Amino acid sequence: MAAVTHKCPAPMGDCCPAVSGKMKRARNDHNLGSIYNYKSLETLGEGTYGTVVKAQDQRTGETVAVKWIRPDDEGVTDLGAVFHEAACLEACRGDPSIVQLKEVAADEVGHIFIVTEFVGPSLESHLWRRFSGAEIRAAMHQLLRGAETIHGAGMIHRDIKPNNVLVGPGGALKICDLGMAVQTRPAGGEPYPEETVAALWYRAPELMRGSRSRRTYGTAVDMWALGCVMIDLLFGEPLFKDAETEDDVLHRARDLQYQMESMTDLLLPELSEAGHEVLRGLLSLVPEKRLTAADALSHRWFEEEDAPLSPCSMFSEGSA
């Protein structure tokens, strides 16, 4: 049987016997599955920290997604990071707007894999047209529902962007990649250690100049990112496209704030007045004034009856 394959540094067992022993203990402690139960079908994406492939569970025939966590330069896998992401996914189990964890698996030499349900391509691959207000409302309802679950579990995603939203059959959207997620910390508490989080175009103002030295922030950073995703759908491309620095993003964000407050040049016909209220609430420069996921979901925008809120065919091939 062909297991999931990948290019990688020297196996952990060949580099460090102590790490190999740690892997064996981890397998026992965490009841790891075997990666040899899965057959690789195609590579879905490669990044700095790992590779994601489409695979088939040879026991059931089910199609899944397998994320291989790349070891460091010495061939050592960060087991803490792997199990952290798996635990974050487990905390969101059952939410239809978040990708579902199947298991954590390993091979004989200690490489670790996170196995999840297979959903489909990323939302980023669909940003080639402008969507209608009803379509955007259906999409945002799903994403806000996922954010509410993440925040309700006491976490901040910290990396919401179109590439971390998967599009399934019938327009079902699922937030994925919780590798950057952290436990919410109280205001004024211990700062987060990371100096830079979130992709630049989706990075909240409080994560940029003026606030980074404190590195204290809350779930509002995810709400800003969702506001950026919402306007991406409206424009058919990223809001801060071509911005190369934080100063670029902040300058455009301030311009956007002025436009939304004055309603000049941004009265988008795709959105109702209620839709504009949600957009302004998500993209407030002041995090304390930003809508929470729960507040947004209870907004009157989601009570409008011009189209259903259930997953729709807005992302089906050939939509226009």
Side-chain angles (χ1 to χ4, degrees), residues 200-245:
L200 177 62
W201 296 349
Y202 303 89
R203 191 175 301 160
E206 62 267 31
L207 291 176
M208 295 189 276
R209 301 190 188 282
S211 295
R212 181 181 294 171
S213 60
R214 297 195 305 272
R215 297 198 292 279
T216 56
Y217 44 83
T219 56
V221 302
D222 288 344
M223 305 314 295
W224 173 272
L226 286 173
C228 293
V229 171
M230 180 176 172
I231 210 166
D232 287 357
L233 292 171
L234 281 161
F235 289 151
E237 63 181 13
L239 169 63
F240 298 114
K241 183 180 180 180
D242 300 327
E244 297 181 353
T245 67

Side-chain angles (χ1 to χ4, degrees), residues 25-134:
R25 290 193 299 274
R27 184 189 295 274
N28 293 331
D29 293 344
H30 297 276
N31 193 29
L32 299 182
S34 170
I35 196 58
Y36 302 107
N37 289 323
Y38 302 94
K39 179 181 179 181
S40 177
L41 299 177
E42 63 176 296
T43 299
L44 299 174
E46 296 192 48
T48 304
Y49 301 106
T51 300
V52 179
V53 304
K54 181 179 180 180
Q56 182 182 55
D57 187 332
Q58 298 184 107
R59 298 163 295 183
T60 64
E62 180 183 13
T63 301
V64 298
V66 178
K67 179 179 180 180
W68 168 58
I69 310 302
R70 183 173 287 113
D72 62 21
D73 292 339
E74 297 180 355
V76 178
T77 300
D78 186 345
L79 297 179
V82 173
F83 293 121
H84 168 78
E85 181 172 0
C88 290
L89 289 170
E90 181 63 33
C92 300
R93 182 174 292 280
D95 190 300
S97 298
I98 300 174
V99 70
Q100 296 296 291
L101 176 70
K102 295 293 184 181
E103 67 173 344
V104 178
D107 62 14
E108 292 180 346
V109 295
H111 297 127
I112 301 293
F113 308 80
I114 295 177
V115 183
T116 66
E117 64 175 326
F118 175 77
V119 180
S122 73
L123 179 58
E124 184 178 45
S125 67
H126 289 273
L127 292 181
W128 53 270
R129 70 177 180 93
R130 297 171 70 146
F131 296 96
S132 71

Side-chain angles (χ1 to χ4, degrees), residues 130-142:
R130 297 171 70 146
F131 296 96
S132 71
E135 290 173 329
I136 293 168
R137 191 183 61 185
M140 292 305 299
H141 188 266
Q142 296 178 75

